[in-house]
């Protein structure tokens, strides 16, 4: 996973420092998605070597993720609906389907935002429906920060303790991803059981 780029990324993170982490995580979380592992794992490795503060790397990575997510949020906030109204019919998005989608996200946007930030591959895109439905930006920022912070912390931990051992990093990240998917499914299940049985009481 990191064999071709790890030395370059370590060099960039080392030279640019926390600004580099923030900028690359901003890109990762917005319009130029690439694996966040190639940023935060090397940062954890540099922290292990004493060349970087683990706390400041965590803050830079989390804030960069939040900034990129807010960028995507406002893209859809201002431009998403006109585009869907104009072109949605060509891909089967009717007004009725759009209304159902909005109703769902308005009711369950917080848990969806938090959980999806923990899932590689779709974590960047949860900002789009949040902006489209005009989810409260403070709530969006809070749950994005919580989810992104957990993910950034995990990647820093992997880099800090496993360093440049590519095979162990790859195996550990696969294991962590499976556990996160299990946790996300469990959280969704508990949440919807709570909504169904306890909120009505």
């Amino acid at each position: 996973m990191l064999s071709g780029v790890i030395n370059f990324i370590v060099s960039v993170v080392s030279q640019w420092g926390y600004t580099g982490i923030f900028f690359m995580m901003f890109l990762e979380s917005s319009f130029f998605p690439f694996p966040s592992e190639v940023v935060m794992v090397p940062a954890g490795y540099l922290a292990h070597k004493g060349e970087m503060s683990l706390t400041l790397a965590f803050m830079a990575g989390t804030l960069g993720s939040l900034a990129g997510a807010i960028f995507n949020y406002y893209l859809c906030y201002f431009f998403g609906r006109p585009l869907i109204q104009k072109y949605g019919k060509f891909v089967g998005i009717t007004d009725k389907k759009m209304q159902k989608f909005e109703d769902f996200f308005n009711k369950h946007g917080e848990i969806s935002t938090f959980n999806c930030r923990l899932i590689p591959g779709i974590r960047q895109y949860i900002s789009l429906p949040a902006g489209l439905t005009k989810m409260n930006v403070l709530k969006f920022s809070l749950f994005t920060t919580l989810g992104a912070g957990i993910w950034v912390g995990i990647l820093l931990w992997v880099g800090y303790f496993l360093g440049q051992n590519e095979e162990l990093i790859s195996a550990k990240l696969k294991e962590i991803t499976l556990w996160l998917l299990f946790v996300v499914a469990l959280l969704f299940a508990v949440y919807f059981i709570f909504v169904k049985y306890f909120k009505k009481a």
Side-chain angles (χ1 to χ4, degrees), residues 18-31:
Y18 309 108
T19 302
I21 293 175
F22 177 90
F23 178 69
M24 285 188 284
M25 289 301 288
F26 170 86
L27 292 178
E28 183 271 341
S29 192
S30 58
F31 55 87

Side-chain angles (χ1 to χ4, degrees), residues 66 70 73 113 135-147:
L66 174 62
I70 289 177
Y73 170 92
T113 298
M135 178 181 178
N136 180 283
V137 70
L138 293 179
K139 287 184 178 180
F140 170 75
S141 298
L142 172 62
F143 287 95
T144 294
T145 301
L146 290 174

Side-chain angles (χ1 to χ4, degrees), residues 72-83:
N72 273 1
Y73 170 92
Y74 278 114
L75 272 181
C76 267
Y77 187 97
F78 291 112
F79 304 112
R81 184 173 296 278
L83 287 174

